[in-house]
Coordinates of all heavy atoms in Angstrom, one line a residue:
M8 N 33.2 -15.1 17.8 CA 34.0 -14.5 16.7 C 34.6 -13.2 17.1 O 33.8 -12.3 17.6 CB 33.1 -14.3 15.5 CG 33.7 -13.7 14.3 SD 32.5 -13.5 13.0 CE 33.3 -13.3 11.5
E9 N 35.8 -13.0 17.1 CA 36.5 -11.9 17.4 C 36.8 -10.9 16.2 O 37.1 -11.3 15.1 CB 37.8 -12.1 18.1 CG 38.6 -10.9 18.6 CD 39.8 -11.3 19.3 OE1 39.9 -12.3 20.0 OE2 40.8 -10.5 19.1
I10 N 36.3 -9.6 16.3 CA 36.5 -8.6 15.2 C 37.7 -7.8 15.7 O 37.7 -7.2 16.8 CB 35.2 -7.8 15.0 CG1 34.1 -8.7 14.6 CG2 35.4 -6.8 13.9 CD1 32.7 -8.1 14.5
T11 N 38.6 -7.6 14.8 CA 39.9 -6.8 15.0 C 39.6 -5.6 14.1 O 39.5 -5.8 12.9 CB 41.1 -7.5 14.8 OG1 41.1 -8.6 15.6 CG2 42.3 -6.7 15.1
I12 N 39.8 -4.3 14.6 CA 39.9 -3.2 13.8 C 41.3 -2.7 13.8 O 41.9 -2.5 14.8 CB 39.1 -2.1 14.5 CG1 37.5 -2.5 14.5 CG2 39.2 -0.8 13.7 CD1 36.6 -1.6 15.3
N13 N 41.8 -2.6 12.6 CA 43.2 -2.2 12.4 C 43.2 -0.7 12.1 O 42.9 -0.3 11.0 CB 43.8 -3.0 11.2 CG 45.3 -2.7 11.0 OD1 45.9 -2.0 11.8 ND2 45.9 -3.3 10.0
Q14 N 43.6 0.0 13.1 CA 43.7 1.5 13.0 C 45.2 1.9 12.9 O 45.9 1.4 13.9 CB 43.0 2.2 14.0 CG 41.6 2.2 13.9 CD 40.9 3.2 14.8 OE1 41.0 3.0 16.1 NE2 40.2 4.1 14.4
K15 N 45.6 2.7 12.0 CA 46.9 3.3 11.9 C 47.1 4.4 12.9 O 46.2 5.2 13.3 CB 47.3 3.9 10.6 CG 48.6 4.4 10.5 CD 48.8 5.2 9.1 CE 48.9 6.6 9.6 NZ 49.0 7.6 8.5
A16 N 48.2 4.3 13.8 CA 48.5 5.4 14.7 C 48.7 6.7 14.0 O 49.3 6.7 13.0 CB 49.6 5.0 15.6
S17 N 48.2 7.7 14.5 CA 48.4 9.0 13.9 C 49.9 9.4 13.9 O 50.7 8.7 14.6 CB 47.7 10.1 14.7 OG 48.3 10.4 15.9
Y18 N 50.2 10.3 13.1 CA 51.7 10.6 13.0 C 52.2 11.1 14.5 O 53.2 10.8 14.8 CB 51.9 11.7 11.9 CG 51.5 11.5 10.6 CD1 50.9 12.4 9.7 CD2 52.0 10.1 10.0 CE1 50.6 12.0 8.4 CE2 51.8 9.9 8.7 CZ 51.0 10.7 8.0 OH 50.7 10.4 6.6
K19 N 51.3 12.0 15.0 CA 51.8 12.5 16.4 C 51.9 11.5 17.3 O 52.8 11.4 18.1 CB 50.8 13.6 16.8 CG 51.0 14.9 16.1 CD 50.1 16.1 16.5 CE 50.3 17.3 15.8 NZ 49.4 18.3 16.3
E20 N 51.0 10.4 17.3 CA 51.2 9.3 18.3 C 52.5 8.5 17.9 O 53.1 8.0 18.8 CB 49.9 8.2 18.1 CG 48.7 9.0 18.7 CD 47.4 8.1 18.2 OE1 47.5 7.3 17.3 OE2 46.5 8.1 19.1
Q21 N 52.8 8.3 16.7 CA 53.9 7.6 16.3 C 55.3 8.4 16.8 O 56.3 7.7 17.0 CB 54.1 7.4 14.8 CG 53.0 6.5 14.4 CD 53.1 6.4 12.8 OE1 54.0 5.9 12.3 NE2 52.0 6.7 12.1
L22 N 55.2 9.8 17.0 CA 56.3 10.6 17.2 C 56.3 11.0 18.7 O 57.2 11.8 19.1 CB 56.3 11.8 16.3 CG 56.5 11.6 14.8 CD1 56.2 12.9 14.0 CD2 57.9 11.1 14.6
Q23 N 55.4 10.5 19.5 CA 55.1 10.8 20.8 C 56.4 11.0 21.7 O 56.7 11.9 22.4 CB 54.2 10.0 21.5 CG 53.9 10.2 22.9 CD 52.9 9.3 23.5 OE1 52.3 8.5 22.9 NE2 52.6 9.5 24.8
D24 N 57.4 10.1 21.5 CA 58.6 10.0 22.4 C 59.6 11.2 22.1 O 60.3 11.6 22.9 CB 59.4 8.7 22.1 CG 60.6 8.6 23.1 OD1 60.3 8.9 24.3 OD2 61.5 8.2 22.7
I25 N 59.5 11.7 20.9 CA 60.4 12.8 20.5 C 59.9 14.1 20.0 O 60.6 15.1 19.8 CB 61.3 12.4 19.3 CG1 60.5 12.0 18.1 CG2 62.2 11.2 19.8 CD1 61.4 11.9 16.7
I26 N 58.5 14.1 20.0 CA 57.9 15.3 19.4 C 58.3 16.6 19.9 O 58.3 17.7 19.2 CB 56.3 15.1 19.3 CG1 55.7 16.0 18.2 CG2 55.6 15.3 20.6 CD1 54.4 15.5 17.6
V27 N 58.4 16.8 21.2 CA 58.7 18.0 21.9 C 60.3 18.3 21.9 O 60.7 19.5 22.2 CB 58.1 18.2 23.3 CG1 56.6 18.0 23.3 CG2 58.8 17.1 24.2
D28 N 61.0 17.4 21.5 CA 62.5 17.6 21.5 C 63.0 18.0 20.1 O 64.3 18.1 20.1 CB 63.2 16.3 21.9 CG 62.8 15.8 23.3 OD1 62.7 16.8 24.2 OD2 62.5 14.8 23.6
I29 N 62.3 18.0 19.1 CA 62.7 18.2 17.8 C 62.2 19.6 17.3 O 61.1 20.0 17.6 CB 62.1 17.2 16.7 CG1 62.5 15.8 17.2 CG2 62.5 17.4 15.3 CD1 64.0 15.4 17.1
S30 N 63.1 20.1 16.5 CA 62.8 21.5 15.9 C 62.1 21.2 14.5 O 62.8 20.9 13.6 CB 64.0 22.4 15.7 OG 63.8 23.5 14.8
W31 N 60.8 21.3 14.6 CA 60.1 20.7 13.3 C 60.4 21.8 12.3 O 60.3 21.6 11.1 CB 58.6 20.6 13.7 CG 58.4 19.4 14.6 CD1 58.2 19.5 15.9 CD2 58.8 18.0 14.3 NE1 58.2 18.2 16.4 CE2 58.7 17.2 15.5 CE3 59.3 17.5 13.2 CZ2 58.9 15.9 15.6 CZ3 59.5 16.0 13.2 CH2 59.3 15.4 14.5
S32 N 60.7 23.1 12.6 CA 60.8 24.1 11.8 C 62.2 23.7 10.9 O 62.3 24.0 9.7 CB 61.0 25.5 12.4 OG 61.5 26.5 11.6
K33 N 63.2 23.3 11.6 CA 64.5 22.9 11.1 C 64.3 21.8 10.2 O 64.8 21.7 9.0 CB 65.6 22.7 12.1 CG 65.9 23.9 12.9 CD 66.7 24.8 12.1 CE 67.2 26.0 13.1 NZ 67.8 27.1 12.2
I34 N 63.6 20.8 10.6 CA 63.3 19.4 9.7 C 62.5 20.0 8.5 O 63.0 19.6 7.4 CB 62.5 18.5 10.5 CG1 63.1 18.0 11.8 CG2 62.0 17.5 9.5 CD1 64.2 16.9 11.4
S35 N 61.5 20.8 8.6 CA 60.8 21.2 7.4 C 61.6 21.9 6.4 O 61.6 21.7 5.2 CB 59.6 22.0 8.0 OG 58.8 22.4 6.8
S36 N 62.4 22.8 7.0 CA 63.2 23.7 6.0 C 64.4 22.8 5.5 O 64.6 23.0 4.3 CB 63.8 24.9 7.0 OG 64.8 25.7 6.2
K37 N 65.2 22.2 6.3 CA 66.3 21.4 5.9 C 66.1 20.3 4.9 O 66.8 20.2 3.9 CB 67.1 21.0 7.0 CG 68.4 20.2 6.7 CD 69.2 19.8 7.9 CE 70.4 19.0 7.6 NZ 71.5 19.8 7.5
Y38 N 65.0 19.6 5.2 CA 64.9 18.3 4.5 C 63.8 18.5 3.3 O 63.7 17.7 2.5 CB 64.5 17.1 5.4 CG 65.6 16.8 6.3 CD1 65.7 17.2 7.7 CD2 66.7 16.0 5.9 CE1 66.7 17.0 8.3 CE2 67.8 15.7 6.7 CZ 67.7 16.2 8.0 OH 68.9 15.8 8.7
F39 N 62.8 19.5 3.5 CA 61.8 19.7 2.6 C 61.8 21.0 1.8 O 61.0 21.1 0.8 CB 60.4 19.4 3.2 CG 60.2 18.0 3.6 CD1 60.6 17.7 5.0 CD2 59.7 17.0 2.9 CE1 60.2 16.4 5.5 CE2 59.4 15.8 3.4 CZ 59.7 15.4 4.7
G40 N 62.5 21.9 2.4 CA 62.4 23.3 1.9 C 61.0 24.0 2.0 O 60.7 24.8 1.2
K41 N 60.4 23.6 3.1 CA 59.0 24.1 3.4 C 59.0 24.8 4.7 O 60.0 24.8 5.5 CB 58.1 23.0 3.4 CG 57.9 22.1 2.2 CD 57.3 22.7 1.1 CE 57.1 21.7 0.0 NZ 56.2 22.2 -1.0
S42 N 57.9 25.5 5.0 CA 57.7 26.2 6.2 C 57.3 25.3 7.3 O 56.7 24.2 7.2 CB 56.6 27.3 6.0 OG 55.3 26.8 5.8
V43 N 57.4 25.9 8.5 CA 57.0 25.2 9.7 C 55.5 24.8 9.7 O 55.1 23.8 10.2 CB 57.4 25.9 11.0 CG1 56.6 27.1 11.3 CG2 57.3 24.9 12.3
S44 N 54.7 25.7 9.2 CA 53.3 25.5 9.2 C 53.0 24.2 8.2 O 52.0 23.4 8.5 CB 52.4 26.8 8.7 OG 52.8 27.1 7.4
W45 N 53.8 24.1 7.2 CA 53.6 23.1 6.3 C 53.8 21.6 7.0 O 52.9 20.7 6.9 CB 54.6 23.0 5.0 CG 54.5 21.9 4.2 CD1 53.8 21.7 3.1 CD2 55.3 20.6 4.2 NE1 54.0 20.5 2.5 CE2 54.9 19.9 3.2 CE3 56.3 20.2 5.0 CZ2 55.5 18.6 2.9 CZ3 56.8 18.9 4.8 CH2 56.5 18.2 3.7
I46 N 54.8 21.5 7.8 CA 55.1 20.2 8.5 C 54.1 20.0 9.6 O 53.6 18.9 9.9 CB 56.5 20.1 8.9 CG1 56.8 18.6 9.2 CG2 56.9 20.9 10.2 CD1 58.3 18.2 9.2
H47 N 53.6 21.2 10.4 CA 52.6 21.0 11.3 C 51.3 20.5 10.7 O 50.6 19.7 11.4 CB 52.5 22.3 12.1 CG 53.5 22.6 13.1 ND1 53.7 21.8 14.3 CD2 54.6 23.5 13.2 CE1 54.8 22.1 14.9 NE2 55.2 23.2 14.4
N48 N 51.0 21.0 9.6 CA 49.7 20.4 9.0 C 49.9 19.1 8.5 O 49.0 18.2 8.7 CB 49.4 21.3 7.6 CG 48.9 22.7 7.9 OD1 48.4 22.8 9.0 ND2 48.9 23.6 7.0
K49 N 51.0 18.6 8.1 CA 51.3 17.2 7.7 C 51.3 16.3 8.9 O 50.7 15.3 8.8 CB 52.7 17.0 7.0 CG 52.9 17.6 5.7 CD 52.1 16.9 4.6 CE 52.2 17.6 3.3 NZ 51.6 16.9 2.2
L50 N 51.8 16.8 10.0 CA 51.8 15.9 11.3 C 50.4 16.0 11.9 O 50.2 14.9 12.5 CB 52.8 16.5 12.3 CG 54.3 16.4 11.9 CD1 55.1 17.1 12.9 CD2 54.8 15.0 11.8
S51 N 49.6 16.9 11.7 CA 48.3 16.9 12.2 C 47.4 16.4 11.2 O 46.1 16.2 11.4 CB 47.9 18.4 12.4 OG 48.6 19.0 13.3
E52 N 47.9 15.9 10.0 CA 47.0 15.1 9.0 C 46.0 16.0 8.5 O 44.8 15.4 8.2 CB 46.6 13.8 9.5 CG 47.8 13.0 9.9 CD 47.4 11.5 10.4 OE1 46.7 10.8 9.6 OE2 47.8 11.1 11.5
I53 N 46.2 17.3 8.3 CA 45.3 18.1 7.7 C 45.9 18.8 6.4 O 47.1 19.0 6.3 CB 44.7 19.3 8.6 CG1 45.9 20.2 9.1 CG2 43.8 18.7 9.7 CD1 45.3 21.2 10.1
D54 N 45.1 19.2 5.4 CA 45.6 20.1 4.4 C 45.5 21.5 4.8 O 45.1 21.9 5.8 CB 45.0 19.8 3.1 CG 43.5 20.1 3.0 OD1 43.1 21.1 3.8 OD2 42.9 19.6 2.1
G55 N 46.1 22.4 3.8 CA 46.1 23.7 4.1 C 44.7 24.4 4.3 O 44.6 25.5 4.8
N56 N 43.7 23.8 3.8 CA 42.4 24.3 4.0 C 41.6 23.7 5.1 O 40.4 23.8 5.1 CB 41.6 24.1 2.6 CG 42.3 24.7 1.5 OD1 42.6 25.9 1.6 ND2 42.5 24.0 0.4
G57 N 42.1 22.9 5.9 CA 41.5 22.3 7.1 C 40.9 20.9 6.8 O 40.3 20.3 7.7
G58 N 41.0 20.4 5.5 CA 40.6 19.1 5.1 C 41.5 18.0 5.6 O 42.5 18.2 6.2
K59 N 41.2 16.8 5.3 CA 42.0 15.6 5.6 C 43.4 15.7 4.7 O 43.3 15.9 3.6 CB 41.3 14.3 5.2 CG 42.0 13.1 5.6 CD 42.0 12.8 7.1 CE 42.7 11.4 7.3 NZ 43.7 11.3 8.4
G60 N 44.4 15.4 5.3 CA 45.6 15.5 4.7 C 46.7 14.5 5.3 O 46.4 13.6 5.9
G61 N 48.0 14.9 5.1 CA 49.0 14.2 5.6 C 50.1 14.0 4.6 O 50.1 14.6 3.6
F62 N 51.0 13.1 4.9 CA 52.2 12.9 4.0 C 51.8 12.0 2.8 O 51.0 11.0 3.0 CB 53.4 12.3 4.7 CG 54.1 13.0 5.7 CD1 53.8 12.8 7.1 CD2 54.9 14.1 5.4 CE1 54.5 13.6 8.1 CE2 55.6 14.9 6.3 CZ 55.3 14.6 7.7
T63 N 52.3 12.3 1.7 CA 52.2 11.4 0.6 C 53.2 10.3 0.9 O 54.0 10.4 1.8 CB 52.6 12.1 -0.8 OG1 54.0 12.5 -0.8 CG2 51.8 13.2 -1.1
E64 N 53.2 9.2 0.1 CA 54.0 8.0 0.3 C 55.5 8.6 0.1 O 56.4 8.2 0.9 CB 53.7 6.8 -0.6 CG 54.5 5.7 -0.4 CD 54.3 5.1 1.0 OE1 53.1 5.1 1.5 OE2 55.3 4.6 1.6
E65 N 55.8 9.4 -0.9 CA 57.1 9.9 -1.1 C 57.5 10.8 0.0 O 58.7 10.7 0.6 CB 57.2 10.7 -2.4 CG 58.5 11.3 -2.8 CD 58.5 12.0 -4.1 OE1 57.8 11.4 -5.1 OE2 59.0 13.1 -4.1
E66 N 56.6 11.7 0.5 CA 57.0 12.5 1.6 C 57.3 11.7 3.0 O 58.2 12.0 3.6 CB 55.9 13.5 1.8 CG 55.8 14.6 0.8 CD 54.5 15.4 0.9 OE1 53.5 15.0 1.6 OE2 54.5 16.5 0.4
A67 N 56.5 10.7 3.1 CA 56.8 9.7 4.3 C 58.0 9.2 4.2 O 58.7 9.0 5.3 CB 55.6 8.7 4.3
Q68 N 58.5 8.7 3.1 CA 59.9 8.1 3.0 C 60.8 9.2 3.2 O 61.9 8.9 3.8 CB 60.0 7.4 1.6 CG 59.2 6.2 1.5 CD 59.4 5.2 2.5 OE1 60.7 4.9 2.7 NE2 58.5 4.7 3.3
Q69 N 60.7 10.3 2.6 CA 61.6 11.5 2.8 C 61.8 11.9 4.4 O 62.8 12.1 4.8 CB 61.2 12.7 2.0 CG 62.2 13.8 2.0 CD 61.9 14.9 1.0 OE1 60.8 14.8 0.2 NE2 62.6 15.9 0.9
F70 N 60.6 11.8 5.0 CA 60.4 12.2 6.5 C 61.2 11.1 7.2 O 62.0 11.5 8.2 CB 59.0 12.3 6.9 CG 58.9 12.7 8.3 CD1 59.1 14.0 8.7 CD2 58.5 11.8 9.2 CE1 59.0 14.4 10.1 CE2 58.3 12.2 10.7 CZ 58.6 13.5 10.9
K71 N 61.1 9.8 6.9 CA 61.7 8.9 7.5 C 63.2 8.9 7.4 O 64.1 8.8 8.4 CB 61.3 7.5 7.0 CG 61.9 6.2 7.7 CD 61.5 4.9 7.0 CE 60.3 4.4 7.7 NZ 60.0 3.0 7.2
G72 N 63.6 9.3 6.2 CA 65.1 9.5 5.9 C 65.6 10.7 6.7 O 66.8 10.7 7.1
A73 N 64.8 11.7 6.8 CA 65.2 12.8 7.8 C 65.5 12.4 9.1 O 66.4 12.9 9.7 CB 64.1 14.0 7.6
L74 N 64.6 11.6 9.7 CA 64.8 11.2 11.1 C 65.9 10.3 11.2 O 66.7 10.4 12.2 CB 63.5 10.4 11.6 CG 62.3 11.3 11.6 CD1 61.0 10.4 12.1 CD2 62.4 12.4 12.7
Y75 N 66.2 9.5 10.2 CA 67.5 8.6 10.2 C 68.7 9.4 10.1 O 69.6 9.2 10.9 CB 67.5 7.6 9.2 CG 66.7 6.4 9.3 CD1 65.6 6.0 8.4 CD2 66.8 5.5 10.5 CE1 64.9 4.8 8.7 CE2 66.1 4.4 10.7 CZ 65.3 3.9 9.7 OH 64.5 2.9 10.0
D76 N 68.7 10.4 9.3 CA 69.7 11.4 9.2 C 70.0 12.2 10.4 O 71.3 12.2 11.0 CB 69.6 12.3 8.1 CG 70.8 13.3 7.9 OD1 71.9 12.8 7.6 OD2 70.6 14.5 8.1
L77 N 69.0 12.7 11.1 CA 69.2 13.4 12.4 C 69.6 12.5 13.4 O 70.6 12.9 14.2 CB 67.8 14.0 12.7 CG 67.8 14.8 14.1 CD1 68.9 16.0 13.9 CD2 66.4 15.3 14.3
S78 N 69.2 11.1 13.5 CA 69.7 10.3 14.6 C 71.1 9.9 14.5 O 71.8 9.9 15.4 CB 68.8 9.1 14.6 OG 69.0 8.3 13.5
E79 N 71.5 9.9 13.1 CA 72.9 9.5 12.9 C 73.8 10.7 13.2 O 74.9 10.5 13.8 CB 73.1 9.2 11.4 CG 74.5 8.8 11.1 CD 75.1 7.6 11.6 OE1 74.3 6.8 12.2 OE2 76.3 7.4 11.7
R80 N 73.3 12.0 12.9 CA 74.1 13.2 13.3 C 74.3 13.2 14.9 O 75.2 13.6 15.3 CB 73.5 14.4 12.7 CG 73.7 14.5 11.2 CD 72.8 15.4 10.5 NE 72.9 16.8 11.1 CZ 71.8 17.6 11.2 NH1 70.7 17.2 10.7 NH2 71.9 18.8 11.8
I81 N 73.2 12.8 15.5 CA 73.2 13.0 16.9 C 74.1 12.0 17.5 O 75.0 12.1 18.4 CB 71.8 12.8 17.5 CG1 71.0 14.0 17.3 CG2 71.9 12.5 19.0 CD1 69.5 13.9 17.6
R82 N 74.1 10.7 16.9 CA 75.0 9.6 17.3 C 76.5 10.0 17.2 O 77.3 9.8 18.0 CB 74.7 8.3 16.7 CG 75.4 7.1 17.2 CD 75.4 5.9 16.3 NE 76.0 6.1 15.1 CZ 77.4 6.2 14.8 NH1 78.2 6.2 15.8 NH2 77.9 6.4 13.6
K83 N 76.7 10.6 16.0 CA 78.2 11.0 15.7 C 78.6 12.1 16.7 O 79.7 12.0 17.1 CB 78.3 11.4 14.2 CG 78.3 10.4 13.2 CD 78.4 10.9 11.9 CE 78.4 9.7 10.8 NZ 78.6 10.3 9.4
T84 N 77.8 13.1 16.9 CA 78.2 14.1 17.8 C 78.4 13.5 19.2 O 79.3 13.8 19.9 CB 77.1 15.1 17.9 OG1 76.7 15.7 16.6 CG2 77.3 16.2 18.9
A85 N 77.5 12.6 19.6 CA 77.7 12.0 21.1 C 78.9 11.2 21.1 O 79.8 11.2 22.0 CB 76.5 11.0 21.3
D86 N 79.3 10.5 19.9 CA 80.5 9.6 19.9 C 81.9 10.5 19.9 O 82.9 10.1 20.6 CB 80.7 8.8 18.6 CG 79.7 7.6 18.5 OD1 79.2 7.3 19.8 OD2 79.4 7.0 17.5
N87 N 81.7 11.7 19.4 CA 82.9 12.6 19.4 C 82.9 13.6 20.6 O 83.9 14.4 20.7 CB 82.9 13.4 18.1 CG 83.1 12.7 16.9 OD1 83.9 11.6 17.0 ND2 82.4 12.8 15.8
F88 N 82.0 13.5 21.5 CA 81.9 14.6 22.6 C 83.0 14.1 23.6 O 83.2 13.0 24.1 CB 80.5 14.5 23.2 CG 80.4 15.4 24.4 CD1 80.0 16.8 24.0 CD2 80.4 15.2 25.6 CE1 79.9 17.8 25.0 CE2 80.4 16.0 26.6 CZ 80.0 17.4 26.3
K89 N 83.7 15.1 24.1 CA 84.7 15.0 25.0 C 84.6 16.0 26.2 O 84.3 17.2 25.8 CB 86.1 15.1 24.5 CG 86.4 14.0 23.4 CD 87.7 14.3 22.6 CE 88.1 13.2 21.7 NZ 87.2 12.7 20.8
A90 N 84.7 15.5 27.4 CA 84.4 16.5 28.5 C 86.0 17.2 28.8 O 86.8 16.8 28.4 CB 84.0 15.6 29.7

């Protein structure tokens, strides 16, 4: 009998490919109106007091939308870039 443990990858694991290339301060400010420490706590899955935390379902959807918006802005910029 095989036992499978279903563990969700951490936020930072899910963002591994882009985490050092993004200004989290700008994402936090532009899309949430919050400080950089707020988003770092969310990404580290801690609350402001050091306990367990993370994104609410609504914040997770907003964060996903922010990433889609940023990717679209990058794509449009690349499409319009001329040497």
Side-chain angles (χ1 to χ4, degrees):
M8 175 184 203
E9 185 177 322
I10 298 174
T11 304
I12 298 174
N13 186 7
Q14 283 187 304
K15 180 189 115 189
S17 73
Y18 296 138
K19 287 184 176 180
E20 289 171 333
Q21 293 177 63
L22 297 168
Q23 180 180 351
D24 189 45
I25 63 168
I26 201 159
V27 298
D28 298 319
I29 301 293
S30 170
W31 299 109
S32 175
K33 296 288 187 185
I34 296 282
S35 185
S36 174
K37 179 177 178 94
Y38 296 98
F39 293 95
K41 304 281 187 177
S42 68
V43 69
S44 61
W45 177 86
I46 202 159
H47 281 293
N48 283 344
K49 294 291 183 175
L50 293 173
S51 297
E52 300 182 58
I53 59 173
D54 67 15
N56 299 315
K59 182 76 174 138
F62 290 106
T63 64
E64 188 60 40
E65 182 180 316
E66 290 167 339
Q68 289 303 312
Q69 190 173 352
F70 184 72
K71 185 185 267 190
L74 293 175
Y75 278 126
D76 182 60
L77 181 59
S78 69
E79 182 64 17
R80 290 171 42 219
I81 290 170
R82 189 195 60 73
K83 283 181 182 177
T84 300
D86 286 348
N87 293 324
F88 186 79
K89 295 177 181 36

